[in-house]
Amino acid sequence: MPSFDIAVIVLAGIALFAAFVNGALGYGFSSLTVPIALVFYTNRILNPAVVVIEVFVNFYVLLINLSGVPAVWKRVLPILIGLLPGIAVGAFALTSLQPDWIKFATYTVVLPLILLQAAGWRRPIQSRWLVGLPFGTALGVLYSVTTISGPPLAMLFNNQGLVKDEFRAGLALVRVVESSVTAIVYYQLGFFITESMNLLSVFIPCVAVGIPLGAYLIRRLDAETFRRICMSFDGWVVGFGLSRVLIELNLMESPWAYSVMVVTILIDAYLLYIFFRVRSKAITNRVRAADTLPIQLVGAPPHDIFGPLTPSLGTSLPSPLLSCWLTPFLLAIHGYMAALN
């Protein structure tokens, strides 16, 4: 295990960045913090500190998105019910499994979810209860073992076509329940030990600074592009973590184990290229559509734009040519009068 100072510095840096992302997107603290922190700490030490932070963070996100709760609470109710047995199963598994195998399970489950989300995979689900209950149970197991649930939740809500406010409200509602129940179960199982509380003292100032900063700056950034870049960073970190744990478990030898990280980076780089190419085309099409609007106005069929003033202005110039010259001025005057009204 590396020196305490190095571990704390790295943990504080990634926690600050993760808090910034969480403030901007509404999720991401645990999914960014845990993969890197697992290089230094086991789940038994890390999870309790992360869960306590997430309880307060998720309540904050829910509070600022309360307006969207009435529209989504019925849609997430099956997930909330399914969470309860899943959290209990996952917490008990955390007490009995070897830490390295828990790390391996964490990385193995999270990595394909990140890549699927990055690929924009969508498959709308019709039966809410038939899918929501088992999904909630699986999510509860995943969260109580890893404290990560953002990627699968975001993928499900994107599939269901939730709009921005509903998306954030639904996400916050589920994460409030899962983090609160998990914290209670951890307390009952005696997981809150001194080492975990020491990590909590590192997280608190990072979250206090990072979340408000992220919520403020996201207004000046393109949220979708920012989310996608964060997803790439998360995928690369998880690929690195999986490579490391393969070596620790003697499942692959170094340097061959790092081929997992290389393949992850290559796949994500291709998906990132597609993402920016599609967005570039969309922006180009919008610009072209905006540029053609004045041309269409000027090139419209000739009509009497001066009304009763035509006799006074005379007809020394052809009407279409006169229209082309004066239409921009008339449009400006019309806009000015509309603003006054």
Side-chain angles (χ1 to χ4, degrees), residues 47-69:
N47 286 13
V50 173
V51 165
V52 171
I53 291 294
E54 290 227 320
V55 169
F56 293 98
V57 169
N58 294 330
F59 267 109
Y60 166 75
V61 175
L62 180 63
L63 184 64
I64 64 177
N65 291 281
L66 276 178
S67 59
V69 171

Side-chain angles (χ1 to χ4, degrees), residues 10 24 28 49 73 98 107 167 185 198 209 293 303 306 321-322 330:
V10 173
W73 74 269
Q98 183 187 359
Y107 292 136
F167 178 92
V185 173
N198 290 337
V209 173
L293 182 60
H303 61 283
F306 304 111
L321 182 59
L322 192 62
L330 294 174

Side-chain angles (χ1 to χ4, degrees), residues 74-85 125-140 153 156-157 160 174:
K74 289 183 179 179
R75 302 177 71 171
V76 302
L77 182 60
I79 300 175
L80 299 180
I81 295 174
L83 278 173
L84 303 180
I125 300 167
Q126 302 299 328
S127 179
R128 235 179 259 167
W129 285 91
L130 187 62
V131 174
L133 284 174
F135 178 86
T137 302
L139 190 71
L153 271 175
L156 177 68
F157 290 165
Q160 297 305 93
V174 172

